[in-house]
Amino acid sequence: MDTGLTPPQYRLLMLLADGTERSTALAQRLAVSKPAISAAVETLTVAGHVRRRSDESDRRITWLEITPVGEAALSLADDALVTRFDEVLKELDDPAVMLSALTDLDRAMEKNREERRRAQQS
């Protein structure tokens, strides 16, 4: 199923689904350059998935937020991903082992991201 989202756009929408964010923070969280984030945000904005909002106390700051259209696209992509993942898991002898390993990998990646964020802030 074609969701109309590229993997980087999907990841960006996933992060915005957790709340508003600035482009700089998104670039850091996704480990991509600011120009790459700007291009992705522009594409998603034109498609109606993301909107920019100026900070009321500091007009130099722009917040990004997911729109209802973006939430619907993200939901569609999530459903497609789950369906595809389920198809692949059916091919394994013991899907629970793979799911456990992926959970461990996710935990390790999150820990690594947090450590990198702390190091950048120091």
Side-chain angles (χ1 to χ4, degrees), residues 9 12 16 22-23 26 34-47 49-52 64:
Q9 291 169 345
L12 198 150
L16 288 176
R22 293 175 62 186
S23 292
L26 288 171
K34 290 179 189 176
I37 280 293
S38 295
V41 167
E42 183 60 27
T43 299
L44 290 169
T45 300
V46 169
H49 298 310
V50 171
R51 85 175 126 245
R52 294 178 176 97
L64 302 172

Side-chain angles (χ1 to χ4, degrees), residues 10-110:
Y10 173 78
R11 288 191 302 273
L12 198 150
L13 287 178
M14 279 183 50
L15 292 175
L16 288 176
D18 291 337
T20 59
E21 192 63 82
R22 293 175 62 186
S23 292
T24 304
L26 288 171
Q28 289 175 341
R29 289 180 70 186
L30 293 170
V32 298
S33 68
K34 290 179 189 176
I37 280 293
S38 295
V41 167
E42 183 60 27
T43 299
L44 290 169
T45 300
V46 169
H49 298 310
V50 171
R51 85 175 126 245
R52 294 178 176 97
R53 181 177 48 81
S54 296
D55 189 291
E56 293 179 15
S57 61
D58 187 344
R59 294 288 178 187
R60 295 172 296 176
I61 297 173
T62 300
W63 294 98
L64 302 172
E65 56 191 15
I66 193 169
T67 65
V69 172
E71 289 172 349
L74 183 59
S75 179
L76 181 65
D78 283 341
D79 291 346
L81 187 61
V82 167
T83 298
R84 181 70 177 121
F85 195 65
D86 284 345
E87 291 170 3
V88 171
L89 283 176
K90 288 177 186 174
E91 300 298 320
L92 300 175
D93 291 333
D94 191 352
V97 171
M98 179 58 69
L99 289 173
S100 177
L102 289 172
T103 300
D104 290 345
L105 178 62
D106 182 57
R107 201 173 301 119
M109 290 174 67
E110 186 58 36

